Amino acid sequence: MALYQKLPIEIEAELVSELLEKFKHNFKELPRWVIEAYENTTINTVTDNDFIIKTLEGNMTATKEDYLIKGVNGELYPCKKDIFEKTYVAVK
């Protein structure tokens, strides 16, 4: 069996619960990449508890308990908080 380790690359990510608050109360405080994703409908159907993301694998729901990740090629996808915290560490 082969073993692999993730390369040490930086990604952008935000807690969905924080993004939902900004969508609701101050859209201009959202990160630019989130605003762009909303404007081009990659992020859509925003509710108080979640939103839909068009991903490479099809539409996915990002809930308050998830992180929204911008991948190395600009793709967006949700990640469960517990998995995110086991996989990533803050660099800034």
Side-chain angles (χ1 to χ4, degrees), residues 18-78:
E18 293 175 10
L19 294 175
L20 289 169
E21 283 299 310
K22 291 175 184 174
F23 267 112
K24 190 176 189 179
H25 299 293
N26 197 347
F27 187 83
K28 292 180 181 180
E29 286 186 11
L30 287 164
R32 184 76 207 137
W33 58 275
V34 174
I35 292 171
E36 289 171 1
Y38 181 74
E39 289 173 345
N40 71 25
T41 69
T42 299
I43 293 175
N44 60 68
T45 318
V46 178
T47 73
D48 287 342
N49 298 308
D50 57 29
F51 52 77
I52 305 297
I53 308 163
K54 293 179 187 172
T55 73
L56 300 173
E57 291 81 29
N59 289 345
M60 298 181 80
T61 301
T63 68
K64 283 184 172 184
E65 295 80 29
D66 296 335
Y67 274 85
L68 178 63
I69 296 175
K70 179 181 176 187
V72 295
N73 293 319
E75 73 280 11
L76 301 183
Y77 56 95

Side-chain angles (χ1 to χ4, degrees), residues 65 67 79-87:
E65 295 80 29
Y67 274 85
C79 181
K80 295 296 177 200
K81 187 177 179 183
D82 62 330
I83 301 297
F84 183 88
E85 291 172 349
K86 290 177 186 174
T87 309

